[in-house]
Amino acid sequence: MSDLAITSATRTTLLELNKTRALLDISAKRLATGKIVSSALDDATVFFDAQGLTSRAAELLALKNGINENVTVIGGAIDALEAMIDQIDDIKATINAAKGGAVTGEVATTLTGTYSVTSAAAAVATEIAGAENGDSFDITYDRITTTISIDASTTFTALASTINDISGLTATVSDGNPIVITAADGQDITIANNVGDLGITDLGLSTATSGTTGVNDARSAAEVQFDLFRTQLDELASDSTVLGKNLLNTSPDTLSVSLSDLSTSTLSVAGDATNVTELSITAADSANSFSVDSGITAAVAELDAAKAVLAATVSTFSSHLDTLETRVDYNTALINTLEAGAALLTSADINEETANLLALQVRHDLGVTALGYSFTNGTALTELLRLG
Amino acid sequence: MYKAASSAYDQTKRLALPPRQVEAMAFSKAAQVLGQAGESESDYRSRISALTFNQKVWTFIQSSMMEETCRLPDSLKADILRLSIFVDKQTFKAMALPKAEIQEILKALIRINEHIARGLLSRGEDREENITPPRQYPQNPRRTLS
C-alpha cells in the first residue's frame, strides 16, 4: 500500500503542475491588467485635467480600455478551457493505462431464482402457467443489456445456456433447483421484465448486488487520479476570474462590451457554466468503478464527449472576439469627419500588407507633402512620454 | 534609431521640442517597448503595457485628426485614420492571445511605427526615388467594395 501512496503522490504532483501552469497564465492576466488598466485610466484623467485636451480623446481612451479589459476576460476564459482540454488528455492516458490489469480479491455475485424447476428438460412455457411463447426479460451486466426470450418449446436448460453465453456470466439449472446466475467478477446483475413477467415473476429472478469487484493497484490509483482531475477541472473554471469577471463558473457573468463612445452599441458575451456536472463526467465510485474495464471505457467516453463540449465553448468565445473586432464602430464616426468619409468606409478594414503600404505612403507624404506639419500640438505626447 | 532618439529625449526633457519631434519620439518609444515585449523573457504585464502605450499614442493622433485645427492634407488624414483603426484592432486581438501567437502582430505594429517616425524626422530627403509607394495602393485583397 505504501507503493500505491508514492505513485499517487507523484501523479498528483504532475497534475498539480499542469494545472498550476495554466493558472499562472490566468493569474498573470489578473494581476497585470488589474494594475495597469486602472493606472492607465488614472493617467488619462490626469492628462486631460492638466492639459485641457479634447474630451473626445479621453472618451476614446476610456472606450478602448473597456474593450481591452473585456477582451482580456474572454482570453482568460479561453486559456482555462484549453487547460481543461489538456487535463482531459492527461487523465485519459492515465486511466486507459490501467485497463486490462488483473484484479484480486473479487467476490462473485450470485443470483438465485426463487422458482425451483421441476424438470430442466421441460419447456418453460409448458411448466410455468404464466409463461408464454414470446415472453422475455432483460439481464444487464457489465453495462450491457441482453434480452433473453423464450418460444413455445424453449427448455430451462436452453434458457440457462443462453444466459451462460453472456460473457462473464455463468448460469446453471437442474431438476429440483432454481436457475442460478453467477458473475465471477463481482459486478451487479440487474433483471428487468421485457415482454410478460417471465424474469421477475415466473422465474423469481431479481437484481443481485451481493458481489464485490476485485482490486488492482493501477486501477485504484487511476480512480484516485480521476477524482483529483474532476476537482481540478472545476477549480480551473472557478479560478478563471479576470478583473472580477468569470465566464465559466456556476453562475457565470455576461460581458457587455461598449463598441462606440457615440452610441449605445454594445456586444453581449454570455458566460457558459463549465464544470464536471455540466460536462457529465461522473465520479469513479462503486457504481462507476475502474476495477472493471467497462468502467474505464465508460469514463473515457464521457471524457471524449466533454472534450467536444469544451472545444465548442472555446469556439464560441473565439468567435465573440472576431465579432468584436469587426463590430467596433467608433471608427465610423471618425471617418465620417472627412469629406471623403463615405468612400473610405468600405475600405476601413485593412490587412497587414495594406497597413505596411499605408505606413510607407505616410512616411513619404510626411517627408514631401506635409513637410513641417505635425499630427498634434505635441503636449499630450510630451506628458505621455514623461509618464510612460 | 529609436533608442538614440529616446535617450536624446531623456537628456533634453526640459526643453520644449517641436511637436513633430515629440511625435517621432513617441512612435519610436512605442516601437521600442513593443520590441521588448516580443522577447522571450517578457511577461504578460509588459506585453499589455507595451500594447496599451502604443494604443495611447495612436489614440492621441487619431483624435487630433478630427480636430478642426488639423491642417494636414485630407489624404494624409485618411491614411492615418485607417492605420489607427488597424492598430486598435490588432491591439484588441493581441490582448486575448498568449505570447507565442502575438509575434506577428508586434512585428507589424513596430514596422508601422518605424515608418511614421522616420517620416516625421525627415526633412524632405526621402525623395520619390528612395521610397516609392504607388499613390493608388492596392485595396485590401480580401475585401471587395460593395
Side-chain angles (χ1 to χ4, degrees):
Chain A
M1 286 310 279
S2 61
D3 283 345
L4 176 61
I6 292 168
T7 310
S8 292
T10 309
R11 286 167 182 272
T12 305
T13 309
L14 287 173
L15 272 173
E16 277 292 331
L17 278 176
N18 285 343
K19 180 196 155 196
T20 308
R21 229 181 15 236
L23 283 180
L24 274 175
D25 282 349
I26 298 167
S27 303
K29 282 186 163 66
R30 223 179 9 233
L31 294 171
T33 58
K35 183 170 183 236
I36 285 164
V37 173
S38 61
S39 74
L41 283 172
D42 292 345
D43 286 354
T45 320
V46 165
F47 288 160
F48 301 120
D49 289 346
Q51 307 299 328
L53 287 165
T54 68
S55 59
R56 189 80 218 283
E59 284 160 17
L60 280 172
L61 276 181
L63 175 72
K64 291 178 197 187
N65 277 335
I67 293 173
N68 288 341
E69 283 187 24
N70 282 299
V71 164
T72 306
V73 174
I74 298 171
I78 292 175
D79 286 349
L81 290 164
E82 287 178 345
M84 289 180 202
I85 290 173
D86 287 345
Q87 299 243 307
I88 285 182
D89 285 336
D90 286 349
I91 198 63
K92 259 178 73 174
T94 302
I95 69 177
N96 265 328
K99 266 170 95 169
V103 296
T104 57
E106 60 268 37
V107 175
T109 304
T110 307
L111 165 48
T112 308
T114 57
Y115 174 79
S116 280
V117 171
T118 307
S119 165
V124 177
T126 306
E127 178 171 316
I128 302 181
E132 292 173 359
N133 174 14
D135 280 358
S136 63
F137 65 96
D138 290 341
I139 297 184
T140 301
Y141 160 76
D142 198 31
R143 291 180 173 77
I144 299 168
T145 300
T146 312
T147 305
I148 309 290
S149 53
I150 60 167
D151 61 21
S153 60
T154 310
T155 64
F156 290 97
T157 306
L159 183 66
S161 174
T162 310
I163 298 171
N164 201 60
D165 286 343
I166 298 173
S167 173
L169 293 180
T170 52
T172 58
V173 71
S174 55
D175 293 356
N177 292 309
I179 293 178
V180 178
I181 307 172
T182 310
D185 68 5
Q187 288 196 77
D188 297 349
I189 306 168
T190 306
I191 305 291
N193 283 332
N194 192 316
V195 177
D197 44 29
L198 173 66
I200 296 174
T201 307
D202 298 341
L203 297 172
L205 298 170
S206 57
T207 294
T209 59
S210 54
T212 318
T213 51
V215 292
N216 162 290
D217 281 358
R219 292 177 185 270
S220 303
E223 287 185 359
V224 169
Q225 293 308 302
F226 193 71
D227 286 340
L228 185 62
F229 149 80
R230 288 178 79 251
T231 306
Q232 288 188 353
L233 202 86
D234 284 0
E235 282 173 1
L236 276 171
S238 55
D239 288 350
S240 71
T241 307
V242 177
L243 294 168
K245 305 274 177 156
N246 190 313
L247 293 170
L248 302 174
N249 61 16
T250 41
S251 299
D253 292 311
T254 297
L255 303 179
S256 185
V257 191
S258 269
L259 301 170
S260 170
D261 53 331
L262 294 181
S263 76
T264 54
S265 173
T266 56
L267 173 71
S268 186
V269 177
D272 193 346
T274 302
N275 51 62
V276 289
T277 309
E278 292 286 335
L279 294 169
S280 300
I281 302 175
T282 339
D285 55 18
S286 58
N288 298 285
S289 169
F290 290 172
S291 55
V292 291
D293 283 355
S294 63
I296 297 178
T297 310
V300 168
E302 286 183 346
L303 290 172
D304 284 338
K307 230 174 113 166
V309 171
L310 291 171
T313 312
V314 167
S315 181
T316 303
F317 284 136
S318 298
S319 72
H320 278 310
L321 288 175
D322 291 342
T323 305
L324 191 147
E325 207 187 315
T326 55
R327 278 193 54 203
V328 281
D329 57 9
Y330 60 83
N331 47 75
T332 311
L334 288 181
I335 291 176
N336 279 334
T337 63
L338 303 177
E339 276 177 19
L344 280 174
L345 270 173
T346 53
S347 58
D349 263 327
I350 62 177
N351 65 5
E352 189 186 314
E353 187 196 319
T354 307
N356 204 42
L357 288 167
L358 267 181
L360 269 170
Q361 185 64 55
V362 169
R363 174 174 151 190
H364 173 264
D365 288 351
L366 284 170
V368 179
T369 320
L371 197 55
Y373 284 140
S374 64
F375 298 127
T376 69
N377 65 6
T379 332
L381 289 176
T382 307
E383 272 306 302
L384 183 64
L385 282 166
R386 195 176 63 76
L387 284 166
Chain B
M1 180 212 66
Y2 35 80
K3 279 201 167 81
S6 294
S7 60
Y9 173 70
D10 292 340
Q11 286 162 20
T12 59
K13 59 184 157 204
R14 289 200 193 81
L15 302 179
L17 289 164
R20 198 160 155 124
Q21 195 163 346
V22 172
E23 286 161 8
M25 285 173 176
F27 282 110
S28 298
K29 169 149 188 183
Q32 181 185 0
V33 297
L34 285 169
Q36 285 164 356
E39 282 158 15
S40 55
E41 316 82 63
S42 82
D43 62 2
Y44 185 75
R45 183 189 291 257
S46 63
R47 293 202 294 282
I48 293 297
S49 179
L51 286 163
T52 315
F53 181 80
N54 186 56
Q55 194 177 41
K56 263 198 245 181
V57 172
W58 277 94
T59 306
F60 287 131
I61 307 296
Q62 195 179 54
S63 61
S64 298
M65 293 297 105
M66 298 184 299
E67 294 298 307
E68 270 156 18
T69 51
C70 180
R71 298 185 302 138
L72 291 173
D74 263 3
S75 61
L76 187 51
K77 270 199 242 182
D79 288 351
I80 288 292
L81 279 177
R82 292 174 69 190
L83 276 171
S84 71
I85 291 161
F86 176 77
V87 169
D88 279 339
K89 294 202 173 175
Q90 294 302 302
T91 304
F92 298 144
K93 201 170 184 157
M95 292 273 166
L97 295 172
K99 182 194 319 199
E101 293 170 42
I102 65 166
Q103 294 300 325
E104 288 309 307
I105 294 178
L106 293 177
K107 284 191 196 136
L109 295 176
I110 291 167
R111 228 181 359 244
I112 292 170
N113 281 16
E114 286 177 348
H115 282 313
I116 309 293
R118 271 179 223 254
L120 286 164
L121 290 176
S122 82
R123 293 186 200 84
E125 64 268 19
D126 281 335
R127 295 289 171 206
E128 293 283 344
E129 59 271 16
N130 289 343
I131 47 158
T132 49
R135 177 65 245 182
Q136 288 297 322
Y137 45 77
Q139 295 300 322
N140 182 330
R142 281 206 284 278
R143 291 193 178 26
T144 54
L145 300 181
S146 52

